[in-house]
């Protein structure tokens, strides 16, 4: 049983005109076996929340706490957070030329598991996980994310989650840019890992579409750097119908 | 792969009517000369036909002349000699050449074969040409198996001594060889190295410059490409106080195919300079250039400096040319300077393609973040990125034991700054 607690989190970024506060007091608790959807309009700070949990150097925490099972996550380096059991599926996975996917996955698994996986088991495990996500085995020898399509990158993010077996996974717009077939495959990958583990999931999305495939237990509306309202799946349905207007006060595009 | 500090080119021009691509230099990239270097390019065996360089000449403007120990102005005197050994195989298991179709001769500088590769184009090369006492000619008249590379080892004259050197590697028609040309040791050396690859022959050569810290090496590489001949030349520069290499590709007939790869790793105080000229003078030839460099200056000490000049000329007669050149530099520390100047001059529009790209950047924080976000510790993530950066070049080296040595050398370089 694991719990990620975010308490009164304030985060700012450096801009040309000085520091700008993006997160203005986020409170959120995600436990094992729960799926929380965070929905919000563009620019509301959803991705900042994801990157701040993972420890991206661009973001400065000015106030508040992030605790994983009581341990202070903000004191940990980026790699320590991952080894502690946090995972961020990124919206824009980074290309790393010259580093093969297989070398990368093995290095990451060795780091997070604390020992190098046995070669025979590992090869089988990777092959199985790739096949579950309809990933061509040839990708193992390609450079990390290099020349991958948007959908291929997202599949590989979910592949990494299933191999690194985090306690808490933050999925940052993993659904964006996917066609329906790819969305189905990626969602199945997430659901398979949910079924096989106790993972707690923080699913960040702009659209309600993905929630038809990955059922949330809780839905949070994220506006202007904080959680504006929390509820059950019915909140997503309301957003589907009415958009974010009630929360932002301004007419915005439908989150269909 | 890196955050670009400077980026030039990257475009590809296709026939017909291909324009001259202009290089737009950025920070830390030197500006292009007003006249293309080849327009004023003078070649001669006679050292006196070259002016003594003063440092302002396009050819010499990046080179710290005072560190050349007189190689450029006639004041150096040859008080030593290089040792050259030629063996079959690589590493401890190498054997002598007896019974193979490869022979090693020592000849005087009047041997009529000399110059088949090309003619000196700067004063130091002409000085070496006219001063050398003993020329080594290695002739391959067989299709050698890839499993048995030739290893030619050139050892410097020793600290405080100066030597002129001349080596010619000849592949007769349809001969094939994988060659490791290994430079090591101490001292000051000016050299000409000719690669004469006859019709239909295939040469893969890895030229390694792993000199001791004191060494100065100024070398001209003359590559002659016969009809339908193939050359893959990989240049690796790891050690030496100053190493300046000037490879020139001379296509002799149509169908020539040349790949020039390079890898260099400069530490604080080192000056590594590479000046390439690919002279597409005949039709239907191909060239690919990919040089990658990493630099790490000493903290609070002297800077690491690398220079890469990539001149590609497509002459009027060279219809059907297909060329692309790329240079990338990775600055691992602040105290480092990488000059990168690609030049592409096109005199005919009837070509298949021509392009160039150059980028110099620092370590990419986004790549580090991505790897670390998967649990990989920072030092290991940095090593992965640097290994990946050079991987493209190293993976093409066909001698496994040499590949291992190069990988180990890069690891050792990274240890120095604790990356």
């Amino acid at each position: 049983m694991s719990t990620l607690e975010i308490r009164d989190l304030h985060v700012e970024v450096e801009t040309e005109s000085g520091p700008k506060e993006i997160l203005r007091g986020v409170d959120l608790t995600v436990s094992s076996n729960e799926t929380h959807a965070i929905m919000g309009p563009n620019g509301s700070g959803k991705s900042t929340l994801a990157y701040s949990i993972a420890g991206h150097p661009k973001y400065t925490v000015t106030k508040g706490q992030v605790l994983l099972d009581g341990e202070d996550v903000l004191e940990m380096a980026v790699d320590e957070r991952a080894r502690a059991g946090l995972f961020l599926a990124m919206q824009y996975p980074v290309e790393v030329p010259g580093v093969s996917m297989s070398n990368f996955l093995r290095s990451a698994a060795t780091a997070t598991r604390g020992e190098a996986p046995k070669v025979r088991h590992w090869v089988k495990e990777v092959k199985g996980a790739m096949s579950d996500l309809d990933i061509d085995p040839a990708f193992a020898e390609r450079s990390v994310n290099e020349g991958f399509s948007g959908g291929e990158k997202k599949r590989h993010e979910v592949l990494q989650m299933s191999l690194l077996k985090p306690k808490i996974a933050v999925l940052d717009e993993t659904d964006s840019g996917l066609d329906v077939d790819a969305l189905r495959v990626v969602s199945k990958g997430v659901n398979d890992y949910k079924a096989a583990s106790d993972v707690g999931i923080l699913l960040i999305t702009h659209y309600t579409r993905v929630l038809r495939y990955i059922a949330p237990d809780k839905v949070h509306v994220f506006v202007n750097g904080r959680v504006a309202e929390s509820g059950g799946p019915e909140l997503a349905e309301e957003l589907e119908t009415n958009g974010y207007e009630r929360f932002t006060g301004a007419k915005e595009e439908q989150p269909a | 792969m890196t955050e670009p500090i400077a980026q030039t080119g990257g475009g590809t021009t296709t026939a017909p009517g291909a324009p001259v691509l202009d290089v737009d230099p950025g920070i830390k990239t030197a500006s292009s000369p007003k006249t293309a270097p080849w327009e004023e390019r003078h070649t001669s065996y006679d050292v006196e036909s070259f002016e003594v360089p003063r440092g302002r000449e396009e050819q010499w403007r990046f080179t710290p002349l005072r560190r050349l120990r007189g190689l450029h102005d006639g004041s150096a005197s040859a008080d030593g000699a290089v040792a050259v050994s030629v063996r079959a195989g690589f590493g401890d298991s190498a054997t002598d050449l007896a019974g193979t179709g490869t022979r090693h001769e020592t000849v005087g500088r009047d041997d009529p074969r000399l110059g088949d590769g090309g003619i000196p184009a700067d004063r130091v090369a002409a000085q070496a040409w006219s001063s050398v006492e003993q020329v080594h000619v290695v002739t391959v008249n067989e299709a050698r198996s890839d499993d048995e590379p030739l290893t030619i080892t050139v050892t410097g004259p020793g600290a405080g001594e100066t030597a002129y050197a001349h080596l010619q590697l000849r592949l007769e028609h349809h001969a094939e060889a994988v060659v490791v040309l290994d430079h090591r040791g101490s001292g000051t050396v000016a050299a000409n190295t000719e690669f004469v690859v006859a019709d239909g022959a295939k040469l893969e050569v890895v030229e390694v410059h792993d000199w001791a810290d004191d060494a100065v090496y100024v070398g001209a590489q003359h590559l002659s490409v016969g009809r339908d001949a193939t050359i893959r030349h990989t240049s690796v520069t790891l050690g030496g106080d100053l190493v300046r290499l000037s490879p020139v590709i001379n296509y002799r007939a149509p169908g020539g195919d040349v790949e020039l790869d390079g890898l260099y790793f400069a530490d604080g105080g080192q000056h590594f300079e590479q000046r390439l000229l690919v002279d597409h003078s005949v039709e239907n030839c191909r060239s690919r250039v990919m040089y990658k460099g990493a630099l790490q200056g000493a903290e609070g000490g002297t800077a690491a400096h690398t220079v890469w000049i990539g001149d590609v000329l497509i002459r009027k007669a060279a219809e059907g040319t297909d060329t692309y050149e790329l240079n990338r530099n990775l600055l691992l520390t602040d105290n480092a300077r990488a000059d990168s100047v690609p030049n592409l001059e096109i005199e005919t529009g009837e070509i298949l393609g021509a392009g160039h790209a150059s980028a110099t950047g620092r370590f990419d924080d986004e790549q580090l973040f991505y790897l670390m976000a998967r649990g990989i510790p920072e030092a290991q993530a940095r090593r992965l990125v640097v290994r990946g950066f050079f991987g493209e070049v190293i993976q093409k080296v066909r001698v496994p034991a040499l590949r291992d040595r190069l990988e180990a050398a890069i690891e050792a370089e990274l240890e120095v700054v604790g990356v």
Side-chain angles (χ1 to χ4, degrees), chain B residues 148-200:
Chain B
E148 201 174 59
L150 283 176
T151 302
I152 304 174
T153 308
V154 177
T155 308
E161 303 204 21
T162 299
Y164 296 109
H166 194 149
L167 171 76
Q168 187 182 67
L169 174 64
R170 302 178 70 85
L171 264 66
E172 303 295 9
H173 73 87
H174 295 91
E176 293 182 23
V178 176
V179 178
V180 180
L181 177 52
D182 208 351
H183 296 79
R184 48 179 66 201
S186 286
T188 305
V189 180
N192 287 282
T193 309
E194 296 183 65
F195 302 90
V196 183
V197 181
D199 296 353

Coordinates of all heavy atoms in Angstrom, one line a residue, chain B residues 148-200:
Chain B
E148 N 41.1 -10.4 -40.9 CA 42.5 -10.2 -40.7 C 43.0 -8.8 -41.2 O 43.5 -8.6 -42.3 CB 43.3 -11.3 -41.4 CG 44.7 -11.3 -40.8 CD 45.5 -12.5 -41.4 OE1 45.8 -12.5 -42.6 OE2 45.9 -13.4 -40.6
P149 N 42.7 -7.8 -40.3 CA 43.1 -6.5 -40.7 C 44.6 -6.3 -40.8 O 45.3 -7.2 -40.2 CB 42.5 -5.6 -39.5 CG 42.4 -6.5 -38.4 CD 42.1 -7.9 -39.0
L150 N 45.1 -5.3 -41.4 CA 46.5 -5.0 -41.4 C 46.6 -3.9 -40.3 O 45.8 -3.0 -40.2 CB 46.9 -4.3 -42.7 CG 47.1 -5.2 -43.9 CD1 47.5 -4.3 -45.1 CD2 48.3 -6.2 -43.7
T151 N 47.7 -4.0 -39.5 CA 47.9 -3.0 -38.5 C 49.3 -2.3 -38.9 O 50.3 -3.0 -38.9 CB 48.0 -3.6 -37.1 OG1 46.8 -4.2 -36.8 CG2 48.2 -2.5 -36.1
I152 N 49.2 -1.0 -39.2 CA 50.4 -0.3 -39.4 C 50.6 0.7 -38.2 O 49.7 1.5 -37.9 CB 50.2 0.6 -40.7 CG1 49.9 -0.3 -41.9 CG2 51.5 1.4 -40.9 CD1 49.6 0.4 -43.2
T153 N 51.7 0.5 -37.5 CA 51.9 1.3 -36.3 C 53.0 2.3 -36.6 O 54.1 2.0 -37.1 CB 52.3 0.4 -35.1 OG1 51.3 -0.6 -35.0 CG2 52.4 1.2 -33.9
V154 N 52.7 3.6 -36.4 CA 53.7 4.6 -36.6 C 54.0 5.2 -35.2 O 53.1 5.7 -34.5 CB 53.1 5.8 -37.5 CG1 54.1 6.9 -37.6 CG2 52.8 5.2 -38.8
T155 N 55.3 5.1 -34.8 CA 55.6 5.5 -33.4 C 56.5 6.8 -33.6 O 57.4 6.8 -34.4 CB 56.4 4.4 -32.7 OG1 55.6 3.2 -32.7 CG2 56.6 4.8 -31.2
G156 N 56.2 7.8 -32.8 CA 56.9 9.1 -32.8 C 58.4 8.9 -32.5 O 58.8 7.9 -31.9
P157 N 59.2 10.0 -32.8 CA 60.6 9.9 -32.6 C 61.1 10.0 -31.2 O 62.2 9.7 -30.8 CB 61.1 11.1 -33.4 CG 60.0 12.1 -33.3 CD 58.7 11.2 -33.4
G158 N 60.2 10.3 -30.3 CA 60.5 10.5 -28.9 C 60.5 11.9 -28.4 O 60.6 12.8 -29.3
A159 N 60.3 12.2 -27.2 CA 60.1 13.5 -26.6 C 61.3 14.4 -27.0 O 62.5 13.9 -26.9 CB 60.0 13.5 -25.1
G160 N 61.1 15.6 -27.5 CA 62.1 16.5 -27.8 C 62.7 16.3 -29.2 O 63.6 17.1 -29.6
E161 N 62.3 15.3 -29.9 CA 62.9 15.0 -31.2 C 61.8 15.3 -32.3 O 60.6 15.2 -32.1 CB 63.4 13.6 -31.3 CG 64.4 13.3 -30.2 CD 65.3 12.2 -30.6 OE1 65.5 11.9 -31.8 OE2 65.9 11.6 -29.6
T162 N 62.3 15.6 -33.5 CA 61.5 15.9 -34.6 C 61.7 14.9 -35.8 O 62.8 14.5 -36.0 CB 61.8 17.3 -35.1 OG1 61.5 18.3 -34.0 CG2 60.9 17.7 -36.3
A163 N 60.6 14.5 -36.5 CA 60.8 13.6 -37.6 C 59.8 14.0 -38.7 O 58.8 14.5 -38.5 CB 60.5 12.2 -37.1
Y164 N 60.3 13.7 -39.9 CA 59.4 13.8 -41.1 C 59.0 12.4 -41.5 O 59.9 11.5 -41.4 CB 60.1 14.6 -42.3 CG 60.4 16.0 -41.9 CD1 61.7 16.4 -41.7 CD2 59.4 16.9 -41.7 CE1 62.0 17.7 -41.3 CE2 59.6 18.2 -41.4 CZ 60.9 18.6 -41.2 OH 61.2 19.9 -40.8
A165 N 57.8 12.2 -41.9 CA 57.3 10.9 -42.2 C 56.6 10.9 -43.5 O 55.9 11.9 -43.9 CB 56.5 10.3 -41.1
H166 N 56.6 9.7 -44.2 CA 55.9 9.6 -45.4 C 55.5 8.1 -45.6 O 56.4 7.2 -45.5 CB 56.7 10.0 -46.6 CG 55.9 10.2 -47.9 ND1 56.2 11.1 -48.8 CD2 54.8 9.6 -48.4 CE1 55.3 11.1 -49.8 NE2 54.4 10.2 -49.5
L167 N 54.2 7.9 -45.7 CA 53.7 6.5 -45.8 C 52.8 6.5 -47.0 O 51.9 7.4 -47.2 CB 53.0 6.1 -44.5 CG 52.2 4.8 -44.5 CD1 53.2 3.6 -44.4 CD2 51.2 4.8 -43.4
Q168 N 52.9 5.4 -47.8 CA 51.9 5.3 -48.9 C 51.3 3.9 -48.8 O 52.0 2.9 -48.7 CB 52.6 5.4 -50.3 CG 51.5 5.4 -51.4 CD 52.1 5.5 -52.8 OE1 52.8 4.5 -53.2 NE2 51.9 6.6 -53.5
L169 N 50.0 3.8 -48.7 CA 49.3 2.6 -48.7 C 48.6 2.4 -50.0 O 47.8 3.3 -50.4 CB 48.2 2.6 -47.5 CG 47.3 1.4 -47.4 CD1 48.0 0.1 -47.1 CD2 46.2 1.7 -46.4
R170 N 49.0 1.3 -50.7 CA 48.4 1.1 -52.1 C 47.5 -0.1 -52.1 O 47.9 -1.2 -51.7 CB 49.6 0.9 -53.1 CG 50.6 2.0 -53.2 CD 51.7 1.6 -54.2 NE 51.2 1.6 -55.6 CZ 51.1 2.7 -56.3 NH1 51.5 3.9 -55.9 NH2 50.6 2.6 -57.6
L171 N 46.4 0.0 -52.7 CA 45.5 -1.1 -52.9 C 45.4 -1.3 -54.5 O 45.0 -0.4 -55.1 CB 44.1 -1.0 -52.4 CG 43.9 -1.6 -51.0 CD1 44.8 -0.9 -49.9 CD2 42.4 -1.6 -50.6
E172 N 46.0 -2.4 -55.0 CA 45.9 -2.6 -56.4 C 44.5 -2.9 -56.8 O 43.6 -3.1 -56.0 CB 46.8 -3.8 -56.8 CG 48.3 -3.7 -56.4 CD 49.0 -2.5 -57.1 OE1 48.4 -1.7 -57.8 OE2 50.3 -2.4 -56.9
H173 N 44.3 -3.0 -58.1 CA 42.9 -3.1 -58.6 C 42.1 -4.3 -58.0 O 42.7 -5.4 -57.9 CB 42.7 -3.0 -60.1 CG 43.2 -4.2 -60.8 ND1 42.3 -5.3 -61.1 CD2 44.4 -4.6 -61.3 CE1 42.9 -6.2 -61.7 NE2 44.2 -5.8 -61.8
H174 N 40.9 -4.0 -57.5 CA 40.1 -5.0 -56.9 C 40.7 -5.7 -55.6 O 40.2 -6.7 -55.1 CB 39.7 -6.1 -57.9 CG 38.8 -5.5 -58.9 ND1 39.3 -5.1 -60.1 CD2 37.5 -5.3 -59.0 CE1 38.3 -4.6 -60.9 NE2 37.2 -4.7 -60.2
A175 N 41.7 -5.1 -55.1 CA 42.2 -5.5 -53.8 C 41.2 -5.0 -52.7 O 40.5 -4.1 -52.9 CB 43.6 -4.9 -53.5
E176 N 41.2 -5.7 -51.5 CA 40.4 -5.3 -50.4 C 41.2 -5.4 -49.1 O 41.9 -6.4 -48.9 CB 39.1 -6.2 -50.3 CG 38.2 -6.0 -51.5 CD 36.9 -6.8 -51.3 OE1 36.6 -7.2 -50.2 OE2 36.3 -7.1 -52.4
A177 N 41.0 -4.4 -48.3 CA 41.7 -4.5 -47.0 C 41.1 -3.7 -45.9 O 40.5 -2.6 -46.2 CB 43.2 -4.1 -47.1
V178 N 41.1 -4.2 -44.7 CA 40.8 -3.4 -43.5 C 42.1 -3.1 -42.8 O 42.9 -4.0 -42.6 CB 39.8 -4.2 -42.6 CG1 39.6 -3.4 -41.3 CG2 38.5 -4.5 -43.3
V179 N 42.3 -1.8 -42.6 CA 43.6 -1.4 -42.1 C 43.5 -0.5 -40.8 O 42.6 0.4 -40.8 CB 44.4 -0.5 -43.2 CG1 45.7 -0.1 -42.6 CG2 44.6 -1.3 -44.4
V180 N 44.2 -0.8 -39.8 CA 44.3 0.1 -38.7 C 45.6 0.8 -38.8 O 46.7 0.2 -38.8 CB 44.3 -0.7 -37.3 CG1 44.3 0.2 -36.1 CG2 43.0 -1.6 -37.3
L181 N 45.6 2.1 -38.8 CA 46.8 2.9 -38.9 C 47.0 3.6 -37.6 O 46.3 4.6 -37.3 CB 46.7 3.9 -40.1 CG 47.8 4.9 -40.4 CD1 49.1 4.2 -40.4 CD2 47.5 5.6 -41.6
D182 N 47.8 3.1 -36.8 CA 47.9 3.5 -35.4 C 49.1 4.4 -35.1 O 50.2 4.0 -35.3 CB 48.1 2.2 -34.6 CG 47.5 2.3 -33.2 OD1 47.1 3.4 -32.8 OD2 47.4 1.3 -32.5
H183 N 48.8 5.6 -34.7 CA 49.9 6.6 -34.4 C 50.0 6.7 -32.9 O 49.0 7.0 -32.2 CB 49.6 8.0 -35.0 CG 49.5 8.0 -36.5 ND1 48.4 7.5 -37.2 CD2 50.4 8.4 -37.4 CE1 48.6 7.7 -38.5 NE2 49.8 8.2 -38.6
R184 N 51.2 6.6 -32.4 CA 51.4 6.8 -30.9 C 52.8 7.3 -30.6 O 53.7 7.4 -31.5 CB 51.2 5.4 -30.2 CG 51.8 4.2 -30.9 CD 51.6 3.0 -30.1 NE 50.1 2.6 -30.2 CZ 49.5 1.7 -29.4 NH1 50.2 1.2 -28.4 NH2 48.3 1.4 -29.5
G185 N 53.1 7.5 -29.4 CA 54.4 8.0 -29.0 C 54.6 9.5 -28.8 O 53.6 10.2 -28.7
S186 N 55.8 9.9 -28.7 CA 56.1 11.3 -28.4 C 56.9 12.0 -29.5 O 57.4 11.3 -30.4 CB 57.0 11.3 -27.1 OG 56.2 11.0 -26.0
G187 N 57.0 13.3 -29.4 CA 57.9 14.0 -30.3 C 57.1 14.9 -31.3 O 55.9 15.1 -31.1
T188 N 57.8 15.4 -32.3 CA 57.2 16.4 -33.3 C 57.3 15.7 -34.6 O 58.3 15.3 -35.0 CB 58.0 17.7 -33.3 OG1 58.0 18.2 -31.9 CG2 57.3 18.7 -34.2
V189 N 56.1 15.6 -35.3 CA 56.1 14.9 -36.6 C 55.3 15.7 -37.6 O 54.2 16.2 -37.4 CB 55.4 13.5 -36.5 CG1 55.4 12.8 -37.8 CG2 56.1 12.7 -35.4
A190 N 55.9 15.9 -38.8 CA 55.2 16.4 -40.0 C 55.1 15.2 -41.0 O 56.2 14.6 -41.3 CB 55.9 17.6 -40.6
A191 N 54.0 15.0 -41.5 CA 53.8 13.7 -42.3 C 52.9 13.9 -43.5 O 52.0 14.7 -43.5 CB 53.3 12.6 -41.4
N192 N 53.2 13.0 -44.5 CA 52.3 12.8 -45.6 C 51.9 11.4 -45.6 O 52.7 10.5 -45.5 CB 53.0 13.1 -47.0 CG 53.1 14.6 -47.2 OD1 52.2 15.3 -47.5 ND2 54.4 15.1 -47.0
T193 N 50.6 11.1 -45.7 CA 50.1 9.8 -45.8 C 49.3 9.7 -47.1 O 48.3 10.4 -47.2 CB 49.2 9.4 -44.6 OG1 50.0 9.8 -43.4 CG2 48.9 7.9 -44.6
E194 N 49.7 8.8 -48.0 CA 48.9 8.6 -49.2 C 48.1 7.3 -49.2 O 48.6 6.2 -48.8 CB 49.9 8.5 -50.4 CG 50.7 9.8 -50.6 CD 51.6 9.7 -51.9 OE1 51.0 9.5 -53.0 OE2 52.8 9.6 -51.7
F195 N 46.9 7.4 -49.6 CA 46.0 6.2 -49.7 C 45.7 6.1 -51.2 O 44.9 6.9 -51.7 CB 44.8 6.3 -48.9 CG 45.0 6.6 -47.4 CD1 45.1 7.8 -46.9 CD2 45.1 5.5 -46.6 CE1 45.4 8.0 -45.6 CE2 45.3 5.7 -45.2 CZ 45.5 7.0 -44.7
V196 N 46.3 5.2 -51.9 CA 46.1 5.1 -53.4 C 45.2 3.8 -53.6 O 45.7 2.7 -53.4 CB 47.4 5.0 -54.1 CG1 47.2 4.9 -55.6 CG2 48.3 6.1 -53.7
V197 N 44.0 4.0 -53.9 CA 43.0 2.9 -54.0 C 42.6 2.8 -55.5 O 41.9 3.7 -56.1 CB 41.8 3.2 -53.1 CG1 40.8 2.0 -53.2 CG2 42.3 3.4 -51.7
A198 N 43.1 1.7 -56.1 CA 42.9 1.5 -57.6 C 41.5 1.1 -57.9 O 40.7 0.9 -57.1 CB 44.0 0.5 -58.1
D199 N 41.3 1.0 -59.2 CA 39.9 0.7 -59.7 C 39.3 -0.5 -59.0 O 40.0 -1.6 -58.9 CB 40.0 0.4 -61.2 CG 40.4 1.7 -62.0 OD1 40.6 2.7 -61.4 OD2 40.6 1.5 -63.2
G200 N 38.1 -0.4 -58.6 CA 37.4 -1.5 -58.0 C 37.9 -2.0 -56.6 O 37.3 -2.9 -56.1

